C-alpha cells in the first residue's frame, strides 16, 4: 500500500516527458511517412530494379544497427540534450538528400546515414524520457512513451500513401521536413538536468553493451526475428491466402499495442513485470500459430490484434528490465542494448524469411518458423531471463 501511495504523488506527465514524447512521435511519423513511398520513388524516378531498391532501403537498418552500441556509449558520456538535438537535426536534413542526390549509390550512402542518425537520436530520446520519470512509475511511463511510436506506426504509412497518390512525392519530403522542424523546436526547449561531472571510467565492454542484460538481449532477438517477416511479407502472405485488406493487419497490431501499453504500465510498477512479460510471450506464440495454420480472414486479423496485444506487454517489459538492470550512468547503454536486440532480430528475420520464401515458393513456412522461434523464446524467458532479472535487478535506480 505504501508503494501505491508514493506512486500516486510522483508526477508522471512533466513538461519534459510530454515534449520528448511529442518530439519522438514527430521523428517516427516522418520516418513512417516515407517508408511505403520510398520503393515507389526509387522505381519511378530512378528506374531501380528490385535488388537495387532492396539494397537502398535495407541500408537504413544497417546504419541503425551499426550505431546502437556506440549510441549508448555517447548518450552515457556526452550531454544528452545537445546530442539528441544535433542527431535529430542531421536525421531531418537527410530528407533533403533524397531529392537532391541523383544516383542510386549516393542514395544508399544517404540511407545508411539516415539510419545512423535515427539510431543515436532514438537512443537519446528514450534515455531523456526515462530520466524524466520517477522510478516508482517507470514502467507506466515507458508504456505511455511507446505509444508515441505506435501512433506513428498506425498513422504514418497510410498517410504517406494517401499524400503520394494524391500529390506526388514532393509533398512527402516537405511534410517530413516540416514535422522534423517542429520536433527540433521541442527538443531545443527541453529542460534536461545537466549531467554530473564524474571521471570517465576506463573503456570496457559494458560501456557499449549492457552485459547484465544478455538474457533480455537474446530473448528480444527471437521476438524481433519473428516480427521481421510481418513487416515485409504479410501483404504477400495475405495474397497467397486470398485475403484482402491486409493494411488492416497493421492497424490491428497498432490497436493492440496501444491498448495494452496504456493498461499495463501501472501493473508493471506494482511488481507484476515478469508475469506480464511472460503472459505476453505466451500470447504471441498462440498468435503466430493462428497466423501460420488458420487461413480464414477472421483468424488472420485476430492474429494481428493478438500480436499487438502481446507486444504491448513485451516492449515496455523488456525495456524496463534492461533499465532496471543498469546503473543510472548506464541508461543509454541499457536502451541501446534493448534496441540492438530488436534491430538484429528484425534484420535476420527479414533475411531468413526472404530466403525461405524463395526456397519454398510461399510464405506459410516462414511464419511456422517464426512460431517455432517464439516457442524457444517463451521457454527461454520462463527458465532463464525472468530468473536472471529477479536475481540481478537494481532497486531504486
Amino acid at each position: 500500500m505504501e508503494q501505491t501511495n508514493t506512486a500516486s504523488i510522483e508526477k508522471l506527465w512533466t513538461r519534459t516527458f510530454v515534449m520528448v514524447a511529442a518530439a519522438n512521435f514527430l521523428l517516427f511519423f516522418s520516418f513512417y511517412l516515407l517508408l511505403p513511398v520510398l520503393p515507389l520513388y526509387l522505381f519511378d524516378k530512378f528506374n531501380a530494379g528490385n535488388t537495387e531498391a532492396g539494397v537502398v532501403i535495407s541500408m537504413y537498418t544497417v546504419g541503425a544497427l551499426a550505431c546502437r552500441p556506440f549510441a549508448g556509449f555517447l548518450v552515457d558520456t556526452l550531454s544528452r540534450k545537445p546530442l539528441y538535438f544535433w542527431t535529430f537535426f542531421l536525421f531531418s536534413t537527410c530528407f533533403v538528400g533524397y531529392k537532391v542526390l541523383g544516383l542510386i549509390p549516393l542514395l544508399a550512402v544517404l540511407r545508411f546515414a539516415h539510419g545512423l542518425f535515427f539510431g543515436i537520436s532514438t537512443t537519446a530520446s528514450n534515455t531523456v524520457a526515462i530520466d524524466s520519470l520517477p522510478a516508482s512509475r517507470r514502467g507506466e511511463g515507458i508504456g505511455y512513451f511507446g505509444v508515441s511510436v505506435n501512433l506513428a506506426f498506425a498513422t504514418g504509412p497510410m498517410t504517406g500513401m494517401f499524400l503520394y497518390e494524391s500529390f506526388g512525392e514532393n509533398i512527402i519530403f516537405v511534410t517530413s521536413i516540416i514535422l522534423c522542424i517542429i520536433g527540433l523546436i521541442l527538443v531545443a526547449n527541453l529542460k534536461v538536468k545537466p549531467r554530473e561531472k564524474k571521471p570517465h571510467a576506463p573503456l570496457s565492454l559494458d560501456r557499449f553493451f549492457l552485459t547484465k542484460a544478455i538474457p533480455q538481449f537474446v530473448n528480444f532477438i527471437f521476438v524481433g526475428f519473428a516480427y521481421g517477416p510481418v513487416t515485409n511479407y504479410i501483404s504477400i502472405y495475405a495474397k497467397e491466402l486470398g485475403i484482402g485488406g491486409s493494411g488492416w493487419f497493421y492497424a490491428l497490431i497498432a490497436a493492440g499495442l496501444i491498448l495494452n501499453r496504456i493498461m499495463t504500465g501501472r501493473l508493471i510498477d506494482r511488481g507484476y513485470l515478469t508475469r506480464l512479460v511472460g503472459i505476453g510471450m505466451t500470447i504471441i506464440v498462440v498468435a503466430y500459430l493462428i497466423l501460420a495454420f488458420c487461413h480464414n480472414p477472421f483468424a488472420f486479423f485476430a492474429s494481428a490484434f493478438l500480436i499487438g496485444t502481446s507486444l504491448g506487454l513485451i516492449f515496455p517489459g523488456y525495456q524496463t528490465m534492461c533499465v532496471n538492470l543498469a546503473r543510472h550512468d548506464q541508461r543509454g547503454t541499457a536502451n541501446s542494448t534493448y534496441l540492438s536486440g530488436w534491430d538484429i532480430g528484425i534484420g535476420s528475420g527479414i533475411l531468413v524469411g526472404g530466403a525461405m520464401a524463395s526456397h519454398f515458393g510461399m510464405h506459410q513456412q516462414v511464419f511456422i518458423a517464426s512460431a517455432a522461434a517464439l516457442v524457444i523464446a517463451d521457454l527461454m524467458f520462463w527458465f532463464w531471463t525472468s530468473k536472471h532479472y529477479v536475481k540481478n535487478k537494481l532497486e531504486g535506480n
Side-chain angles (χ1 to χ4, degrees):
M1 183 66 69
E2 188 174 330
Q3 183 180 359
T4 306
N5 290 339
T6 303
S8 65
I9 61 173
E10 290 191 285
K11 192 174 181 183
L12 176 66
W13 296 100
T14 61
R15 178 179 181 273
T16 298
F17 181 71
V18 171
M19 288 175 68
V20 74
N24 198 56
F25 168 77
L26 293 169
L27 183 146
F28 274 90
F29 188 87
S30 65
F31 163 65
Y32 283 122
L33 201 66
L34 179 63
L35 191 63
V37 171
L38 186 58
L40 302 175
Y41 177 65
L42 294 172
F43 293 147
D44 294 343
K45 298 298 179 182
F46 294 89
N47 295 316
N50 285 323
T51 302
E52 289 177 308
V55 169
V56 172
I57 293 167
S58 65
M59 290 304 289
Y60 191 95
T61 303
V62 174
L65 180 57
C67 80
R68 285 297 187 198
F70 305 100
F73 172 76
L74 291 171
V75 169
D76 287 333
T77 304
L78 304 176
S79 296
R80 287 169 180 167
K81 179 179 171 180
L83 179 68
Y84 183 20
F85 178 85
W86 287 111
T87 52
F88 197 142
F89 173 79
L90 292 168
F91 170 88
S92 307
T93 60
C94 287
F95 286 106
V96 178
Y98 290 106
K99 286 297 293 180
V100 172
L101 300 178
L103 295 173
I104 288 289
L106 293 177
L107 285 175
V109 174
L110 175 72
R111 191 75 177 156
F112 177 85
H114 212 175
L116 201 71
F117 301 133
F118 171 85
I120 301 173
S121 184
T122 51
T123 301
S125 67
N126 272 267
T127 307
V128 170
I130 289 169
D131 281 347
S132 71
L133 296 171
S136 62
R137 302 186 70 181
R138 184 175 295 144
E140 184 184 1
I142 286 175
Y144 284 125
F145 187 72
V147 171
S148 65
V149 179
N150 303 144
L151 284 174
F153 172 76
T155 58
M158 65 180 183
T159 304
M161 284 305 300
F162 170 76
L163 291 175
Y164 181 79
E165 291 170 354
S166 301
F167 306 105
E169 77 276 358
N170 288 337
I171 191 67
I172 300 295
F173 299 115
V174 170
T175 303
S176 293
I177 292 167
I178 291 172
L179 293 175
C180 284
I181 290 172
I182 297 171
L184 283 167
I185 293 170
L186 291 174
V187 174
N189 286 282
L190 286 173
K191 292 183 178 178
V192 179
K193 291 180 181 178
R195 292 175 53 80
E196 293 182 31
K197 292 186 178 180
K198 296 180 179 179
H200 293 308
L203 287 180
S204 58
L205 177 60
D206 66 358
R207 296 194 66 191
F208 299 92
F209 178 85
L210 189 66
T211 53
K212 283 180 68 176
I214 286 175
Q216 285 71 22
F217 172 75
V218 174
N219 237 153
F220 211 39
I221 288 176
F222 278 86
V223 178
F225 176 87
Y227 193 71
V230 170
T231 62
N232 271 38
Y233 309 126
I234 201 68
S235 58
I236 303 172
Y237 184 48
K239 278 187 179 180
E240 292 172 356
L241 300 177
I243 296 172
S246 59
W248 286 102
F249 194 92
Y250 297 105
L252 286 167
I253 288 178
L257 264 166
I258 293 168
L259 182 65
N260 236 17
R261 274 186 179 267
I262 292 172
M263 291 176 61
T264 59
R266 292 183 182 180
L267 293 175
I268 287 176
D269 292 327
R270 290 174 184 172
Y272 297 100
L273 174 57
T274 54
R275 276 170 279 183
L276 288 169
V277 177
I279 291 169
M281 294 296 294
T282 302
I283 291 173
I284 201 170
V285 171
V286 174
Y288 272 77
L289 289 172
I290 293 172
L291 181 62
F293 293 107
C294 301
H295 297 154
N296 60 76
F298 176 80
F300 179 79
F301 290 113
S303 71
F305 185 76
L306 287 175
I307 289 171
T309 299
S310 60
L311 290 177
L313 295 167
I314 290 168
F315 281 156
Y318 274 100
Q319 188 172 14
T320 302
M321 281 192 284
C322 287
V323 171
N324 288 350
L325 287 166
R327 301 187 310 268
H328 182 274
D329 63 344
Q330 289 181 307
R331 283 185 182 167
T333 303
N335 282 310
S336 69
T337 300
Y338 158 79
L339 294 167
S340 292
W342 182 249
D343 290 339
I344 292 171
I346 287 280
S348 58
I350 291 171
L351 289 173
V352 172
M356 288 184 67
S358 297
H359 177 75
F360 290 106
M362 60 185 301
H363 286 78
Q364 182 182 14
Q365 289 83 356
V366 176
F367 292 103
I368 293 173
S370 296
L374 289 168
V375 170
I376 296 170
D378 193 19
L379 294 171
M380 187 186 302
F381 178 81
W382 286 111
F383 291 103
W384 180 37
T385 306
S386 61
K387 292 180 179 180
H388 171 85
Y389 170 73
V390 172
K391 183 179 178 182
N392 293 280
K393 65 179 178 177
L394 301 178
E395 299 293 343
N397 67 335

